[in-house]
Amino acid sequence: MPSNTTAPPAKKKGRRARLIVLLLVLALVGAVGFGGWWGVDTVRASFPQTTGEIRIDSLSGDVEVKRDANGIPQIYADNETDLFRAQGYVQAQDRFYEMDVRRHLTAGRLSEMFGESQVDTDAFLRTLGWRQVAQQEYDKVLAPETKKYLQAYAEGVNAYLKDRQPKDVSVEYAALAFTNEYTIEPWTPVDSVAWLKAMAWDLRGNMQDEIDRSLLTSRLSAAQIKQLYPAYPYELHQPILDRGTVDPVTRTFDPKAGKGEQSEGGTGTGTGTGTGDGTGGPSAQLAALSGLSDVLDSVPALLGPNGNGIGSNSWVVSGDLTTSGKPLLANDPHLAPMLPSLWYQMGLHCRSVSATCRYDVAGYTFSGMPGVIIGHNDSIAWGLTNLGADVTDLYLEKISPEGYLVDGKVKPFDTREEVIKVAGGADRPITVRSTDRGPLVSDRSSELEKVGQKAPVGNSAPDRGTGYGVSLQWTALQPGKSMDAIFAIDRAQDFEDFRAAAKHFEVPSQNLVYADTKGNIGYQSPGKIPRRAKGDGTLPAPGWDSSYRWKGYIPFEQLPYEYNPDRGYIVTANQAVISPEQYDDLLTEDWGYGSRSQRINDLIESKTKDGGKISPDDMRTMQTDNRSEIATLLNPLLLKVDISDPYVREAQKLLEGWDYTQEPDSAAAAYFNAVWRNVLKLSFGDKLPKEVRAEGDCVMVRPVDATGPVDEQNKLVRECGERDPDSAQPDGGDRWFEVVRPLLKQEKSEWWKTPATRTDPATETRDQLLARAMKDARWELTAKLGKDVSTWSWGRLHQLTLKNQTLGTAGPGVVQQMLNRGPWNLGGGEAAVDATGWNAAGGYEVIWVPSMRMVVNVGDWDKSRWINLTGASGHAFHDNYTDQTDAWAEGELYDWAYGKAAVDAAAKDTLTLRP
């Protein structure tokens, strides 16, 4: 599925007539230049009022909303509840359609908006039960103060919705009115809480790797799979912490403990297929996991494509190393490109900060949720990257009509009935079954229903009987206090406050970086991270054996943290947190491999050697660094390959003298990345099972279970990939850098061998395969970019198109043209600091991006800078819909006004909300 899909692919047949109507309606609505008064009026009816006065019954006092030229609001109130009421009102003004789609997603109710095409997605999300968990959090777990803020926020949203028809809220509703009778419901506090579950889902860790390792067993040996999931390269890419360990006496983490020796690979990442899991070998799981992988691809990936790994950069530099003498903090989360952006910039200010009104905070918020997620207040600044902790486990379950097997006894399922309401169709009832670990996700896949007939289970597993299923245990399916943590961070004044707040940031588990006006910098890894009684979480576990249970969670006091390290800076970019030789608890076996983090470390060290200082502009320049690590390894070898074909040699010459940067206008970057893609396809892609290869990628292979026409002479079958291109393998990320790194020294590795084709001889060696990849890349780019290599550029291949989150991915072409924006030709690339990600198995299109960028000048807040991917507005024809994107694409940042004088100077519009 497209990486930023949050609603349906278009329905066929029965939906065609409604889409024709939709096309005509939106053509009228969107064609402002050609439409009459009705079209213009419909478009503008939903634009927010940004000046004058608005009366809101629930307010207790006046609130001012000051917007700058980019439509970014700064809110000023006299008490906390009014502040969050106003936040709800203002976010609804700009983004309510987005908020409404999100709450329908998290509740498994997309079918009520978009019809039958979303029934399967809704059924899966109902099975996970995000909404039920959010309700439990609100009812039983969250602090009374947090609930008060959530209620105030909901009152603000509903004040905006009061007396408004859907078409007056957003132009998309005008379209929906012609396809179903949709009514907007009031906002509730639980709608806000549930959004954290969607965040946690896309930041859940290694579930896709867990599935893929099992699926690879149908074609690869345990040794081969271990090669494809190599150990984390501690000797090359330093972890976040270079010292620290859990004190054996106090049982708390001591960040100042002796400097640990970096291991030669440590225990590493994903050590292979894993044996002794009680399932009779990974083959027992293949049928189940293939179906589950299909289900995961069908779930909207709000934050990033499945399987490609969601990354982010953040780093903080001590004032000892900066030109200002105060800390500098940078952050750029890498998420799926979406329109409008996931982020909404905002300031929340008590006019007079006191014990009864404690907030003076600005930064990036989520529409639909009160508070600020990333940003700064008057004393501290903070940023987030994904920790990647392994907080999910899949269990293969022996099931029967009576229940599921545990330690030789059958336990009954916990069941609940759900009814999915479908716009324009009949209700769909479903039954959700759960084990004591979590929901039976296999119930939501027709493929998984056949597991009992397909799974080749070994002797150590229970008898086949009725069959096997797959259940999911996940920390986010337990009520938690992450919403409490957000408000506590927003008002924290020092590192002690910050850590106390982080203790409640249970899901999703994030790397938190910190700086304050007193010159301190710090790091904390929070989260609810399980301890396993048996197994390491790299493969699905046998549900029938209770020894594979979770045995609790790592206490917060034992989670790694750091405060004012001697080196003077902290870098987090999804790399390993700490060497396993220093830290006994297992956080994950599937870290990011550290290409981005090491590049940032190197840039900082290069800038500060011999007494050099880092400026805010240096931080911005680092964020846009686009150097390719794999090019430094592979390019010298490509230049040594003897190419006799003058046509291919012409392309090879592009790589001579290339500095490995990936600028949008670089022909060398275009050709190198095409060669890299073809190297991966030839050496690995054609050897992988169909379940992980991209749709449409067809090869002749020895049949596993020959279901297609077999070539009788060679005993081969044509087998086509089944995975969505955005999440297929080999994706070309930094895991594959580490796969290829040692192989480049092995000229006759088995991976370099490829069979002959009608046009190419077989390859036996590294250089033969590289030569063939260079030839294939030359022909591929000739077809895409033309014969003249001087006209090639990376940006023409590597394009970003911003798509409206619903109709922009599902509607007719003309509708998409009206709602979508782009393309933009981008530089950067996979695993570069400027991480404009692409999947080598699927193509060159940009599928995840730095979703925002910020550089915080701690203590001199008005000299901080920021940018969003799109703009403040979710209204498709508003001036602030994508007004920041051109500057974002150029790596620019805008001034970030925070103090009252700076906000007043930047204000273009002022709106007063009155009781």
Side-chain angles (χ1 to χ4, degrees):
M1 63 182 295
S3 63
N4 61 338
T5 299
T6 58
K11 286 169 56 179
K12 299 177 181 178
K13 297 181 181 178
R15 185 155 170 83
R16 183 176 301 163
R18 285 194 287 163
L19 284 179
I20 293 173
V21 174
L22 182 63
L23 174 88
L24 297 174
V25 172
L26 285 188
L28 287 172
V29 172
V32 178
F34 300 99
W37 64 268
W38 185 84
V40 174
D41 181 68
T42 301
V43 168
R44 293 181 177 173
S46 60
F47 287 5
Q49 178 182 337
T50 58
T51 60
E53 297 181 1
I54 296 176
R55 298 283 180 175
I56 299 178
D57 293 341
S58 57
L59 287 176
S60 61
D62 288 358
V63 179
E64 285 183 309
V65 182
K66 297 178 180 290
R67 283 181 167 91
D68 65 10
N70 296 112
I72 299 169
Q74 304 278 347
I75 300 176
Y76 292 86
D78 290 323
N79 62 74
E80 294 172 352
T81 51
D82 276 355
L83 192 64
F84 294 116
R85 284 188 188 98
Q87 183 181 15
Y89 188 93
V90 170
Q91 287 189 339
Q93 281 187 303
D94 285 331
R95 298 282 194 96
F96 184 77
Y97 179 74
E98 172 195 7
M99 293 163 57
D100 201 15
V101 171
R102 284 182 181 177
R103 68 165 164 177
H104 279 77
L105 170 73
T106 58
R109 296 175 56 197
L110 288 172
S111 300
E112 295 177 26
M113 296 186 77
F114 304 109
E116 187 177 354
S117 66
Q118 291 303 290
V119 168
D120 289 344
T121 297
D122 283 346
F124 185 73
L125 295 172
R126 297 281 187 101
T127 298
L128 294 180
W130 292 352
R131 175 75 185 198
Q132 284 83 356
V133 179
Q135 186 71 56
Q136 292 170 17
E137 288 182 0
Y138 184 78
D139 291 342
K140 301 177 181 179
V141 177
L142 295 179
E145 185 175 62
T146 298
K147 294 166 71 170
K148 179 177 69 174
Y149 297 154
L150 289 164
Q151 185 60 48
Y153 181 89
E155 290 169 0
V157 174
N158 292 329
Y160 169 74
L161 295 175
K162 185 180 179 181
D163 299 328
R164 278 186 168 83
Q165 296 299 314
K167 67 181 180 61
D168 298 325
V169 173
S170 186
V171 69
E172 289 91 341
Y173 289 116
L176 287 178
F178 282 80
T179 61
N180 66 70
E181 297 180 3
Y182 179 74
T183 301
I184 296 175
E185 297 176 355
W187 193 263
T188 74
V190 179
D191 293 332
S192 297
V193 178
W195 176 237
L196 283 175
K197 302 305 170 187
M199 273 190 63
W201 175 252
D202 280 325
L203 300 174
R204 64 192 178 272
N206 76 333
M207 186 194 295
Q208 194 68 57
D209 288 328
E210 192 174 334
I211 293 170
D212 286 355
R213 269 189 287 261
S214 294
L215 294 176
L216 293 179
T217 60
S218 68
R219 292 227 172 259
L220 303 179
S221 68
Q224 288 174 316
I225 295 172
K226 184 174 181 178
Q227 283 185 287
L228 299 189
Y229 288 87
Y232 183 88
Y234 288 94
E235 72 283 4
L236 295 174
H237 299 158
Q238 64 196 68
I240 297 172
L241 276 61
D242 59 6
R243 66 176 65 203
T245 190
V246 174
D247 187 290
V249 177
T250 65
R251 301 306 300 160
T252 61
F253 188 83
D254 179 1
K256 297 296 186 182
K259 185 177 179 67
E261 294 296 325
Q262 290 185 354
S263 65
E264 295 298 316
T267 60
T269 308
T271 55
T273 61
T275 58
D277 62 357
T279 62
S283 59
Q285 305 142 9
L286 296 187
L289 295 171
S290 175
L292 179 57
S293 185
D294 292 341
V295 172
L296 295 182
D297 267 340
S298 72
V299 175
L302 293 175
L303 307 184
N306 290 320
N308 214 32
I310 295 178
S312 300
N313 302 322
S314 70
W315 65 97
V316 60
V317 182
S318 164
D320 293 339
L321 302 179
T322 68
T323 56
S324 67
K326 291 291 183 72
L328 296 172
L329 187 150
N331 197 186
D332 55 289
H334 307 152
L335 306 171
M338 57 184 68
L339 184 59
S341 166
L342 178 77
W343 301 107
Y344 183 91
Q345 296 152 287
M346 178 175 264
L348 300 171
H349 309 276
C350 291
R351 290 194 181 96
S352 178
V353 178
S354 66
T356 58
C357 196
R358 296 163 292 174
Y359 294 90
D360 190 11
V361 60
Y364 294 87
T365 72
F366 290 140
S367 301
M369 209 169 81
V372 170
I373 307 300
I374 296 173
H376 72 82
N377 58 32
D378 60 339
S379 297
I380 75 164
W382 67 95
L384 307 179
T385 64
N386 194 28
L387 177 65
D390 186 356
V391 295
T392 62
D393 274 339
L394 296 170
Y395 289 87
L396 189 66
E397 304 284 0
K398 173 65 180 70
I399 62 175
S400 67
E402 291 74 33
Y404 60 102
L405 191 69
V406 180
D407 295 338
K409 297 179 181 180
V410 175
K411 299 183 69 172
F413 289 108
D414 291 327
T415 63
R416 70 176 187 271
E417 304 300 320
E418 298 269 357
V419 176
I420 299 171
K421 296 184 180 299
V422 182
D427 292 352
R428 303 291 181 85
I430 65 169
T431 299
V432 177
R433 298 189 293 176
S434 294
T435 71
D436 56 7
R437 287 174 295 272
L440 198 68
V441 290
S442 53
D443 279 350
R444 302 283 78 86
S445 165
S446 58
E447 276 296 305
L448 294 177
E449 290 175 2
K450 303 175 185 176
V451 168
Q453 303 165 17
K454 292 183 176 181
V457 181
N459 292 334
S460 61
D463 291 338
R464 184 179 303 275
T466 305
Y468 293 87
V470 179
S471 67
L472 168 66
Q473 186 166 16
W474 176 32
T475 55
L477 299 184
Q478 304 165 25
K481 297 184 176 182
S482 293
M483 188 64 74
D484 287 345
I486 290 167
F487 294 111
I489 290 174
D490 284 357
R491 59 178 184 260
Q493 294 295 298
D494 55 29
F495 194 57
E496 185 178 354
D497 288 348
F498 185 73
R499 290 196 70 215
K503 184 174 184 178
H504 297 306
F505 207 125
E506 297 171 336
V507 178
S509 185
Q510 299 288 287
N511 295 307
L512 300 176
V513 294
Y514 166 95
D516 65 35
T517 54
K518 295 180 180 178
N520 301 301
I521 64 172
Y523 163 84
Q524 177 69 57
S525 55
K528 197 171 189 177
I529 303 172
R531 284 173 165 160
R532 294 167 177 84
K534 187 177 179 181
D536 61 8
T538 60
L539 284 168
W544 50 82
D545 184 347
S546 66
S547 66
Y548 285 85
R549 70 191 185 283
W550 289 1
K551 60 176 184 179
Y553 303 92
I554 302 173
F556 178 79
E557 292 74 19
Q558 295 179 20
L559 289 172
Y561 77 97
E562 193 167 45
Y563 191 54
N564 292 329
D566 293 340
R567 65 184 177 278
Y569 62 89
I570 301 168
V571 175
T572 83
N574 318 111
Q575 79 272 39
V577 171
I578 189 169
S579 166
E581 293 186 357
Q582 298 167 241
Y583 191 73
D584 292 335
D585 270 307
L586 176 66
L587 300 176
T588 185
E589 290 281 14
D590 288 300
W591 300 111
Y593 280 75
S595 292
R596 286 178 286 109
S597 61
Q598 192 58 47
R599 177 61 174 167
I600 297 166
N601 275 296
D602 291 346
L603 290 170
I604 293 172
E605 291 174 7
S606 174
K607 188 68 181 179
T608 57
K609 70 179 181 180
D610 301 324
K613 303 288 186 179
I614 293 176
S615 70
D617 198 54
D618 291 330
M619 300 282 277
R620 181 198 65 81
T621 301
M622 292 177 193
Q623 285 182 323
T624 56
D625 181 87
N626 57 31
R627 184 173 180 266
S628 168
E629 182 186 10
I630 189 59
T632 68
L633 300 173
L634 186 57
N635 199 64
L637 295 175
L638 296 176
L639 291 174
K640 292 179 181 179
V641 175
D642 184 16
I643 300 294
S644 58
D645 185 335
Y647 200 59
V648 180
R649 173 63 184 143
E650 184 182 30
Q652 186 188 33
K653 288 180 179 180
L654 294 173
L655 303 178
E656 296 176 356
W658 179 43
D659 62 359
Y660 312 136
T661 60
Q662 301 173 92
E663 297 295 333
D665 60 356
S666 172
Y671 183 56
F672 174 81
N673 282 315
V675 173
W676 171 235
R677 179 175 187 243
N678 281 279
V679 167
L680 292 170
K681 176 179 172 60
L682 292 168
S683 53
F684 305 104
D686 290 354
K687 300 176 178 71
L688 300 180
K690 64 182 183 298
E691 290 86 358
V692 303
R693 293 202 322 272
E695 291 174 347
D697 177 13
C698 301
V699 294
M700 298 299 291
V701 297
R702 292 188 306 275
V704 174
D705 53 350
T707 57
V710 176
D711 181 326
E712 291 298 332
Q713 181 177 355
N714 298 307
K715 302 299 182 183
L716 300 179
V717 61
R718 187 170 187 267
E719 190 176 82
C720 296
E722 298 176 350
R723 178 81 50 92
D724 183 274
D726 286 353
S727 58
Q729 295 293 335
D731 62 33
D734 60 358
R735 171 164 68 89
W736 292 97
F737 297 1
E738 296 309 314
V739 171
V740 169
R741 189 190 301 274
L743 295 179
L744 293 177
K745 300 176 182 179
Q746 303 172 31
E747 295 188 17
K748 295 185 178 181
S749 166
E750 290 294 313
W751 293 108
W752 302 129
K753 295 182 178 181
T754 63
T757 69
R758 294 178 181 176
T759 57
D760 294 287
T763 65
E764 297 289 336
T765 68
R766 177 197 68 195
D767 287 353
Q768 288 174 352
L769 185 139
L770 295 183
R772 182 169 165 186
M774 283 194 282
K775 174 189 173 183
D776 290 352
R778 177 33 155 144
W779 284 107
E780 181 186 4
L781 294 200
T782 298
K784 292 179 181 295
L785 302 178
K787 293 175 60 176
D788 185 353
V789 299
S790 68
T791 67
W792 290 359
S793 70
W794 176 224
R796 286 176 60 200
L797 277 179
H798 191 52
Q799 292 186 325
L800 167 68
T801 299
L802 293 172
K803 299 178 180 179
N804 178 279
Q805 292 183 46
T806 54
L807 301 176
T809 63
V814 173
V815 174
Q816 295 188 33
Q817 289 176 19
M818 291 186 293
L819 297 180
N820 297 346
R821 300 292 181 269
W824 283 265
N825 295 348
L826 298 185
E830 186 69 30
V833 180
D834 185 14
T836 54
W838 56 286
N839 187 310
Y844 305 98
E845 178 185 2
V846 176
I847 59 173
W848 52 296
V849 296
S851 57
M852 62 79 157
R853 298 187 183 99
M854 74 177 192
V855 174
V856 182
N857 200 322
V858 177
D860 199 352
W861 304 116
D862 292 328
K863 292 185 179 178
S864 301
R865 311 201 76 201
W866 62 353
I867 195 100
N868 204 352
L869 172 63
T870 61
S873 180
H875 300 288
F877 304 101
H878 195 279
D879 289 344
N880 300 132
Y881 189 47
T882 55
D883 58 319
Q884 299 186 51
T885 309
D886 286 343
W888 172 91
E890 295 295 326
E892 299 175 10
L893 298 174
Y894 290 153
D895 291 338
W896 179 352
Y898 171 74
K900 185 65 163 59
V903 170
D904 287 345
K908 177 183 176 183
D909 294 330
T910 299
L911 172 68
T912 301
L913 305 177
R914 289 199 160 137

